[in-house]
Coordinates of all heavy atoms in Angstrom, one line a residue:
S6 N 79.3 9.0 43.7 CA 79.1 7.7 43.1 C 80.3 7.4 42.2 O 80.8 8.3 41.5 CB 77.8 7.7 42.4 OG 77.9 8.2 41.0
Q7 N 80.6 6.2 42.1 CA 81.7 5.7 41.3 C 81.2 5.3 39.9 O 80.2 4.7 39.8 CB 82.4 4.5 41.9 CG 83.1 4.8 43.2 CD 84.6 4.9 42.9 OE1 85.0 4.8 41.7 NE2 85.4 5.2 43.9
S8 N 82.0 5.7 38.8 CA 81.6 5.2 37.5 C 82.1 3.8 37.3 O 83.2 3.5 37.7 CB 82.1 6.2 36.4 OG 83.5 6.1 36.4
V9 N 81.4 3.0 36.6 CA 81.7 1.7 36.3 C 82.1 1.6 34.8 O 81.4 2.1 34.0 CB 80.5 0.7 36.6 CG1 80.9 -0.7 36.2 CG2 80.1 0.9 38.0
P10 N 83.3 1.0 34.5 CA 83.7 0.9 33.1 C 82.7 0.0 32.3 O 82.2 -0.9 32.8 CB 85.1 0.3 33.2 CG 85.4 -0.1 34.6 CD 84.3 0.5 35.4
Y11 N 82.5 0.5 31.1 CA 81.5 -0.2 30.2 C 82.3 -1.4 29.6 O 83.3 -1.2 29.0 CB 81.0 0.8 29.2 CG 80.1 0.1 28.2 CD1 78.8 -0.2 28.6 CD2 80.4 0.0 26.9 CE1 77.9 -0.8 27.7 CE2 79.6 -0.6 26.0 CZ 78.3 -1.0 26.4 OH 77.4 -1.5 25.5
L12 N 81.7 -2.6 29.7 CA 82.3 -3.8 29.1 C 81.4 -4.2 27.9 O 80.3 -4.6 28.1 CB 82.4 -4.9 30.1 CG 83.0 -6.2 29.6 CD1 84.4 -6.0 29.2 CD2 82.9 -7.2 30.7
G13 N 82.0 -4.1 26.7 CA 81.3 -4.6 25.5 C 81.6 -6.0 25.2 O 82.6 -6.5 25.5
V14 N 80.6 -6.7 24.6 CA 80.7 -8.1 24.2 C 81.0 -8.1 22.7 O 80.3 -7.7 21.9 CB 79.5 -8.9 24.5 CG1 79.6 -10.3 24.0 CG2 79.1 -8.8 25.9
K15 N 82.2 -8.6 22.3 CA 82.7 -8.7 20.9 C 82.5 -10.2 20.5 O 83.0 -11.1 21.1 CB 84.1 -8.3 20.8 CG 84.7 -8.3 19.4 CD 86.1 -7.8 19.4 CE 86.6 -7.9 18.0 NZ 88.0 -7.4 17.9
V16 N 81.8 -10.4 19.4 CA 81.6 -11.7 18.8 C 82.1 -11.7 17.4 O 81.7 -10.8 16.6 CB 80.1 -12.1 18.9 CG1 79.9 -13.5 18.3 CG2 79.6 -12.1 20.3
T17 N 82.9 -12.7 17.0 CA 83.3 -12.9 15.6 C 82.8 -14.2 15.2 O 83.0 -15.2 15.8 CB 84.9 -12.9 15.6 OG1 85.4 -11.7 16.1 CG2 85.3 -13.1 14.1
R18 N 82.1 -14.2 14.1 CA 81.5 -15.4 13.5 C 81.6 -15.5 12.0 O 81.7 -14.4 11.4 CB 80.0 -15.6 13.9 CG 79.1 -14.5 13.5 CD 77.8 -14.6 14.2 NE 77.0 -13.4 13.9 CZ 75.9 -13.4 13.1 NH1 75.5 -14.6 12.7 NH2 75.3 -12.3 12.8
T19 N 81.7 -16.7 11.5 CA 81.8 -16.9 10.0 C 80.4 -17.2 9.5 O 79.7 -18.1 10.0 CB 82.8 -18.0 9.7 OG1 84.0 -17.7 10.3 CG2 82.9 -18.2 8.2
I20 N 80.0 -16.5 8.5 CA 78.7 -16.7 7.9 C 78.8 -16.9 6.4 O 79.8 -16.5 5.8 CB 77.7 -15.5 8.1 CG1 78.2 -14.2 7.5 CG2 77.5 -15.3 9.6 CD1 77.2 -13.1 7.4
K21 N 77.8 -17.6 5.8 CA 77.7 -17.8 4.3 C 76.4 -17.2 3.9 O 75.4 -17.4 4.5 CB 77.8 -19.2 4.0 CG 79.2 -19.8 4.1 CD 79.2 -21.3 3.6 CE 80.6 -21.9 3.7 NZ 80.6 -23.2 3.1
Y22 N 76.4 -16.5 2.8 CA 75.2 -16.0 2.2 C 75.4 -15.9 0.7 O 76.5 -15.9 0.1 CB 74.8 -14.6 2.8 CG 75.9 -13.5 2.6 CD1 75.8 -12.6 1.6 CD2 76.9 -13.4 3.5 CE1 76.8 -11.6 1.4 CE2 77.9 -12.4 3.4 CZ 77.8 -11.5 2.3 OH 78.8 -10.6 2.2
E23 N 74.2 -15.8 0.0 CA 74.2 -15.7 -1.5 C 73.9 -14.2 -1.9 O 73.1 -13.6 -1.2 CB 73.2 -16.6 -2.1 CG 73.6 -18.1 -1.9 CD 72.6 -19.0 -2.5 OE1 71.5 -18.6 -3.0 OE2 72.9 -20.3 -2.5
E24 N 74.5 -13.8 -3.0 CA 74.3 -12.5 -3.5 C 74.2 -12.6 -5.0 O 74.9 -13.4 -5.7 CB 75.6 -11.6 -3.2 CG 75.4 -10.2 -3.3 CD 76.6 -9.4 -2.8 OE1 77.5 -9.2 -3.5 OE2 76.5 -9.0 -1.6
E25 N 73.3 -11.8 -5.6 CA 73.0 -11.8 -7.0 C 74.1 -11.1 -7.7 O 74.6 -10.0 -7.3 CB 71.7 -11.2 -7.3 CG 71.2 -11.4 -8.7 CD 69.7 -10.9 -8.8 OE1 69.5 -9.7 -8.9 OE2 68.8 -11.8 -8.8
M26 N 74.6 -11.6 -8.8 CA 75.6 -11.0 -9.6 C 75.0 -10.3 -10.9 O 74.1 -10.9 -11.5 CB 76.6 -12.1 -10.1 CG 77.5 -12.7 -9.1 SD 78.5 -14.0 -9.7 CE 79.2 -13.4 -11.1
E27 N 75.6 -9.2 -11.2 CA 75.1 -8.6 -12.4 C 75.8 -9.3 -13.6 O 76.7 -10.0 -13.5 CB 75.6 -7.1 -12.4 CG 74.8 -6.2 -11.4 CD 73.3 -6.3 -11.7 OE1 72.9 -6.1 -12.9 OE2 72.5 -6.4 -10.8
Y28 N 75.2 -9.0 -14.8 CA 75.7 -9.7 -16.0 C 76.2 -8.7 -17.0 O 76.0 -7.5 -16.9 CB 74.6 -10.6 -16.6 CG 73.4 -9.8 -17.0 CD1 73.3 -9.3 -18.3 CD2 72.4 -9.6 -16.2 CE1 72.2 -8.5 -18.7 CE2 71.2 -8.9 -16.5 CZ 71.2 -8.4 -17.8 OH 70.1 -7.7 -18.2
R29 N 77.0 -9.2 -17.9 CA 77.6 -8.4 -19.0 C 76.9 -8.8 -20.3 O 76.7 -10.0 -20.5 CB 79.1 -8.5 -19.1 CG 79.8 -7.9 -18.0 CD 81.3 -7.8 -18.3 NE 81.7 -8.7 -19.3 CZ 82.9 -9.2 -19.5 NH1 83.9 -8.8 -18.7 NH2 83.3 -10.0 -20.5
I30 N 76.7 -7.9 -21.2 CA 76.3 -8.2 -22.5 C 77.4 -7.8 -23.4 O 78.0 -6.7 -23.4 CB 75.0 -7.3 -22.9 CG1 73.9 -7.7 -22.0 CG2 74.7 -7.6 -24.4 CD1 72.7 -6.7 -22.2
E31 N 77.9 -8.8 -24.3 CA 79.0 -8.6 -25.2 C 78.4 -8.1 -26.5 O 77.6 -8.8 -27.1 CB 79.8 -9.8 -25.3 CG 80.6 -10.2 -24.1 CD 81.5 -11.4 -24.3 OE1 81.8 -11.7 -25.5 OE2 81.9 -12.0 -23.3
Q32 N 78.8 -6.9 -26.9 CA 78.3 -6.4 -28.2 C 79.5 -6.2 -29.1 O 80.6 -5.9 -28.7 CB 77.7 -5.0 -28.0 CG 76.4 -5.0 -27.2 CD 75.7 -3.7 -27.1 OE1 76.4 -2.7 -27.2 NE2 74.4 -3.7 -26.8
Q33 N 79.2 -6.4 -30.4 CA 80.3 -6.3 -31.4 C 79.8 -5.3 -32.5 O 78.6 -5.1 -32.7 CB 80.6 -7.6 -32.1 CG 81.1 -8.6 -31.1 CD 82.5 -8.3 -30.7 OE1 83.3 -7.7 -31.4 NE2 82.8 -8.6 -29.4
T34 N 80.7 -4.6 -33.1 CA 80.4 -3.8 -34.3 C 80.6 -4.6 -35.6 O 81.4 -5.5 -35.6 CB 81.2 -2.5 -34.3 OG1 82.6 -2.8 -34.3 CG2 80.9 -1.6 -33.1
D35 N 79.9 -4.2 -36.6 CA 80.0 -4.8 -37.9 C 80.5 -3.8 -38.9 O 79.7 -2.9 -39.2 CB 78.7 -5.5 -38.3 CG 78.8 -6.4 -39.5 OD1 79.9 -6.3 -40.2 OD2 77.9 -7.1 -39.8
A36 N 81.7 -3.9 -39.4 CA 82.3 -2.9 -40.3 C 81.5 -2.8 -41.6 O 81.5 -1.8 -42.3 CB 83.7 -3.1 -40.5
S37 N 80.8 -3.9 -42.0 CA 80.1 -3.9 -43.3 C 78.8 -3.3 -43.2 O 78.1 -3.1 -44.2 CB 80.0 -5.4 -43.8 OG 79.1 -6.1 -42.9
R38 N 78.4 -2.9 -42.0 CA 77.1 -2.2 -41.8 C 77.2 -0.7 -41.6 O 78.4 -0.2 -41.6 CB 76.3 -2.8 -40.6 CG 76.1 -4.3 -40.7 CD 74.7 -4.5 -41.1 NE 74.4 -6.0 -41.2 CZ 73.2 -6.5 -40.9 NH1 72.2 -5.7 -40.6 NH2 73.0 -7.7 -41.1
D39 N 76.1 0.0 -41.3 CA 76.2 1.4 -41.1 C 77.0 1.7 -39.8 O 77.1 0.9 -38.9 CB 74.8 1.9 -40.9 CG 73.9 1.9 -42.2 OD1 74.6 1.9 -43.3 OD2 72.7 1.8 -42.1
I40 N 77.5 2.9 -39.8 CA 78.3 3.4 -38.6 C 77.3 3.4 -37.4 O 76.2 3.8 -37.5 CB 78.9 4.8 -38.8 CG1 79.9 4.7 -39.9 CG2 79.4 5.3 -37.5 CD1 80.5 6.1 -40.3
G41 N 77.8 2.8 -36.3 CA 77.0 2.8 -35.1 C 76.2 1.5 -34.9 O 75.6 1.3 -33.9
Y42 N 76.2 0.7 -35.9 CA 75.4 -0.6 -35.8 C 76.2 -1.6 -34.9 O 77.4 -1.8 -35.1 CB 75.3 -1.2 -37.2 CG 74.6 -2.6 -37.2 CD1 73.2 -2.7 -37.1 CD2 75.4 -3.8 -37.2 CE1 72.6 -4.0 -37.0 CE2 74.8 -5.0 -37.2 CZ 73.4 -5.1 -37.1 OH 72.8 -6.3 -37.0
T43 N 75.5 -2.1 -34.0 CA 76.1 -3.2 -33.1 C 75.1 -4.3 -33.0 O 73.9 -4.1 -33.2 CB 76.4 -2.6 -31.7 OG1 75.2 -2.2 -31.1 CG2 77.4 -1.5 -31.7
Y44 N 75.6 -5.5 -32.7 CA 74.7 -6.6 -32.4 C 75.2 -7.3 -31.1 O 76.4 -7.2 -30.8 CB 74.7 -7.6 -33.6 CG 76.0 -8.2 -33.9 CD1 76.3 -9.5 -33.4 CD2 77.0 -7.6 -34.7 CE1 77.6 -10.1 -33.6 CE2 78.2 -8.2 -35.0 CZ 78.5 -9.4 -34.4 OH 79.7 -10.0 -34.7
V45 N 74.3 -8.0 -30.5 CA 74.6 -8.7 -29.3 C 75.2 -10.0 -29.6 O 74.6 -10.8 -30.3 CB 73.4 -8.9 -28.4 CG1 73.7 -9.7 -27.2 CG2 72.8 -7.5 -28.0
E46 N 76.5 -10.2 -29.2 CA 77.2 -11.5 -29.5 C 76.8 -12.5 -28.5 O 76.6 -13.7 -28.8 CB 78.7 -11.3 -29.5 CG 79.4 -12.5 -29.9 CD 80.9 -12.2 -30.1 OE1 81.2 -11.7 -31.2 OE2 81.7 -12.5 -29.2
R47 N 76.7 -12.1 -27.2 CA 76.3 -13.0 -26.1 C 75.5 -12.3 -25.1 O 76.0 -11.3 -24.5 CB 77.5 -13.7 -25.5 CG 77.2 -14.7 -24.5 CD 78.3 -15.5 -24.0 NE 79.4 -14.7 -23.6 CZ 80.6 -15.2 -23.3 NH1 80.9 -16.5 -23.4 NH2 81.6 -14.4 -22.9
Q48 N 74.3 -12.7 -24.9 CA 73.4 -12.1 -23.9 C 73.7 -12.7 -22.5 O 73.8 -13.9 -22.3 CB 71.9 -12.4 -24.2 CG 70.9 -11.9 -23.3 CD 70.8 -10.4 -23.4 OE1 70.8 -9.8 -24.5 NE2 70.6 -9.7 -22.3
G49 N 74.0 -11.8 -21.5 CA 74.3 -12.3 -20.2 C 73.0 -12.6 -19.4 O 71.9 -12.3 -19.9
E50 N 73.2 -13.3 -18.3 CA 72.1 -13.5 -17.4 C 72.6 -13.4 -16.0 O 73.7 -13.6 -15.7 CB 71.5 -14.9 -17.7 CG 72.4 -16.1 -17.6 CD 71.7 -17.4 -17.9 OE1 71.2 -17.5 -19.0 OE2 71.8 -18.3 -17.1
K51 N 71.7 -13.1 -15.1 CA 72.0 -12.9 -13.7 C 72.4 -14.2 -13.1 O 71.9 -15.3 -13.4 CB 70.9 -12.3 -12.9 CG 70.6 -10.8 -13.2 CD 69.7 -10.2 -12.3 CE 69.6 -8.7 -12.7 NZ 68.8 -8.0 -11.7
G52 N 73.4 -14.2 -12.2 CA 73.9 -15.4 -11.6 C 73.9 -15.2 -10.1 O 73.6 -14.1 -9.5
L53 N 74.4 -16.2 -9.4 CA 74.5 -16.1 -7.9 C 76.0 -16.4 -7.5 O 76.7 -17.2 -8.2 CB 73.6 -17.2 -7.2 CG 72.2 -16.9 -7.2 CD1 71.4 -18.1 -6.6 CD2 71.9 -15.7 -6.3
K54 N 76.4 -15.8 -6.5 CA 77.7 -16.1 -5.9 C 77.5 -16.3 -4.4 O 76.7 -15.7 -3.7 CB 78.7 -15.1 -6.2 CG 78.5 -13.7 -5.6 CD 79.6 -12.8 -6.0 CE 79.3 -11.3 -5.6 NZ 80.3 -10.4 -6.0
E55 N 78.2 -17.3 -3.9 CA 78.2 -17.6 -2.4 C 79.4 -16.9 -1.8 O 80.5 -17.1 -2.2 CB 78.3 -19.1 -2.2 CG 78.2 -19.5 -0.8 CD 78.4 -21.0 -0.6 OE1 79.5 -21.5 -0.8 OE2 77.4 -21.6 -0.2
I56 N 79.1 -16.2 -0.8 CA 80.1 -15.4 -0.1 C 80.3 -15.9 1.3 O 79.3 -16.1 2.0 CB 79.8 -13.9 0.0 CG1 79.6 -13.4 -1.5 CG2 80.8 -13.1 0.7 CD1 79.1 -12.0 -1.6
T57 N 81.5 -16.2 1.7 CA 81.9 -16.5 3.1 C 82.6 -15.3 3.7 O 83.5 -14.8 3.1 CB 82.8 -17.8 3.1 OG1 82.2 -18.8 2.4 CG2 83.1 -18.2 4.5
A58 N 82.1 -14.9 4.8 CA 82.6 -13.7 5.5 C 82.7 -13.9 7.0 O 81.9 -14.6 7.6 CB 81.7 -12.5 5.2
Q59 N 83.7 -13.1 7.6 CA 83.8 -13.1 9.0 C 83.1 -11.8 9.4 O 83.5 -10.7 8.9 CB 85.2 -13.1 9.5 CG 85.8 -14.5 9.4 CD 87.2 -14.5 10.1 OE1 87.9 -13.5 10.2 NE2 87.5 -15.6 10.7
V60 N 82.2 -11.9 10.3 CA 81.4 -10.7 10.8 C 81.7 -10.5 12.3 O 81.7 -11.4 13.1 CB 79.9 -10.9 10.6 CG1 79.1 -9.7 11.2 CG2 79.6 -11.1 9.2
V61 N 82.1 -9.2 12.6 CA 82.4 -8.9 14.0 C 81.3 -8.0 14.5 O 81.0 -7.0 13.8 CB 83.8 -8.1 14.1 CG1 84.1 -7.7 15.5 CG2 84.9 -9.0 13.5
T62 N 80.7 -8.4 15.6 CA 79.7 -7.5 16.3 C 80.2 -7.2 17.7 O 80.8 -8.0 18.3 CB 78.4 -8.3 16.3 OG1 78.5 -9.5 17.1 CG2 77.8 -8.6 14.9
I63 N 79.8 -6.0 18.1 CA 80.0 -5.5 19.4 C 78.7 -5.1 20.0 O 78.0 -4.2 19.4 CB 81.0 -4.3 19.5 CG1 82.4 -4.8 19.0 CG2 81.2 -3.8 20.9 CD1 83.5 -3.7 18.9
D64 N 78.3 -5.8 21.0 CA 77.0 -5.6 21.7 C 75.9 -5.8 20.6 O 74.9 -5.0 20.7 CB 76.9 -4.3 22.4 CG 77.8 -4.2 23.6 OD1 78.1 -5.3 24.2 OD2 78.3 -3.1 23.9
G65 N 76.0 -6.7 19.7 CA 75.0 -7.0 18.7 C 74.9 -6.1 17.5 O 74.1 -6.2 16.7
V66 N 75.9 -5.1 17.5 CA 75.9 -4.2 16.3 C 77.1 -4.6 15.5 O 78.2 -4.6 15.9 CB 76.1 -2.7 16.8 CG1 76.2 -1.8 15.6 CG2 74.9 -2.4 17.7
E67 N 76.8 -4.8 14.2 CA 77.9 -5.2 13.3 C 78.9 -4.0 13.1 O 78.5 -2.9 12.8 CB 77.4 -5.6 11.9 CG 78.4 -6.1 10.9 CD 77.8 -6.5 9.6 OE1 76.7 -7.1 9.6 OE2 78.5 -6.3 8.6
T68 N 80.2 -4.3 13.3 CA 81.2 -3.3 13.2 C 82.2 -3.5 12.1 O 82.9 -2.6 11.7 CB 82.0 -3.1 14.5 OG1 82.6 -4.4 14.9 CG2 81.1 -2.7 15.7
E69 N 82.3 -4.8 11.7 CA 83.2 -5.2 10.7 C 82.8 -6.4 9.9 O 82.1 -7.3 10.5 CB 84.6 -5.5 11.4 CG 85.8 -5.6 10.5 CD 87.0 -5.8 11.4 OE1 87.1 -5.4 12.5 OE2 87.9 -6.5 10.9
R70 N 83.1 -6.4 8.6 CA 82.7 -7.6 7.8 C 83.9 -7.8 6.8 O 84.2 -6.9 6.0 CB 81.4 -7.3 7.0 CG 81.0 -8.5 6.1 CD 79.7 -8.3 5.4 NE 78.6 -8.2 6.4 CZ 77.6 -9.0 6.4 NH1 77.4 -9.9 5.4 NH2 76.6 -8.9 7.3
N71 N 84.5 -8.9 6.9 CA 85.6 -9.2 6.0 C 85.3 -10.5 5.2 O 85.0 -11.5 5.7 CB 86.9 -9.6 6.8 CG 87.4 -8.4 7.6 OD1 87.4 -7.3 7.1 ND2 87.7 -8.6 8.9
V72 N 85.3 -10.3 3.8 CA 85.0 -11.4 2.9 C 86.2 -12.3 2.9 O 87.3 -11.9 2.6 CB 84.7 -10.9 1.5 CG1 84.5 -12.0 0.5 CG2 83.4 -10.0 1.6
V73 N 85.9 -13.6 3.2 CA 87.0 -14.6 3.2 C 87.1 -15.3 1.8 O 88.2 -15.4 1.3 CB 86.7 -15.7 4.3 CG1 87.7 -16.8 4.3 CG2 86.6 -15.0 5.7
S74 N 86.0 -15.6 1.2 CA 86.0 -16.2 -0.1 C 84.7 -16.0 -0.8 O 83.6 -15.7 -0.2 CB 86.3 -17.7 0.0 OG 85.2 -18.3 0.6
T75 N 84.7 -16.0 -2.2 CA 83.5 -16.0 -3.0 C 83.6 -17.1 -4.0 O 84.7 -17.5 -4.4 CB 83.4 -14.6 -3.8 OG1 84.6 -14.5 -4.6 CG2 83.3 -13.5 -2.9
N76 N 82.4 -17.7 -4.3 CA 82.3 -18.8 -5.2 C 81.1 -18.6 -6.1 O 80.0 -18.4 -5.6 CB 82.2 -20.1 -4.3 CG 82.2 -21.3 -5.2 OD1 82.8 -21.4 -6.3 ND2 81.5 -22.4 -4.8
V77 N 81.3 -18.6 -7.4 CA 80.2 -18.4 -8.3 C 79.5 -19.7 -8.4 O 80.1 -20.8 -8.6 CB 80.8 -18.0 -9.7 CG1 79.6 -17.9 -10.7 CG2 81.5 -16.7 -9.6
I78 N 78.2 -19.6 -8.2 CA 77.3 -20.8 -8.2 C 76.8 -21.1 -9.7 O 76.3 -20.2 -10.3 CB 76.1 -20.6 -7.3 CG1 76.7 -20.5 -5.9 CG2 75.2 -21.8 -7.3 CD1 75.6 -20.2 -4.8

């Protein structure tokens, strides 16, 4: 019997999705207070960013993902 070469189907597509962003809390020290005293100068909050990526699949299995751009919403 002869072996038949396997032909994979490669698909590249551009997708957009949203991802939650972590936040930072800015803390400051106060020299006029006890050592180790800090206060929150600005409380952060979670945000969203929109990501545009090129996804490569071979036979329906994702093999590569390249981020093209990110945009903070």
Side-chain angles (χ1 to χ4, degrees):
S6 90
Q7 289 264 359
S8 66
V9 177
Y11 178 71
L12 180 63
V14 177
K15 180 178 178 181
V16 177
T17 302
R18 58 193 174 112
T19 302
I20 62 168
K21 287 186 179 186
Y22 58 96
E23 292 180 354
E24 194 171 89
E25 196 171 76
M26 293 174 45
E27 290 300 316
Y28 60 89
R29 287 188 346 199
I30 298 173
E31 291 185 21
Q32 294 183 337
Q33 297 293 325
T34 57
D35 189 345
S37 66
R38 301 260 182 150
D39 293 334
I40 293 176
Y42 175 82
T43 61
Y44 65 94
V45 175
E46 185 171 282
R47 184 169 51 189
Q48 179 73 39
E50 58 184 56
K51 290 190 177 187
L53 283 176
K54 62 182 173 180
E55 180 183 68
I56 300 172
T57 303
Q59 282 190 330
V60 178
V61 178
T62 58
I63 297 178
D64 292 332
V66 178
E67 184 176 324
T68 58
E69 193 175 331
R70 181 178 293 238
N71 298 315
V72 175
V73 177
S74 68
T75 58
N76 184 28
V77 177
I78 299 175

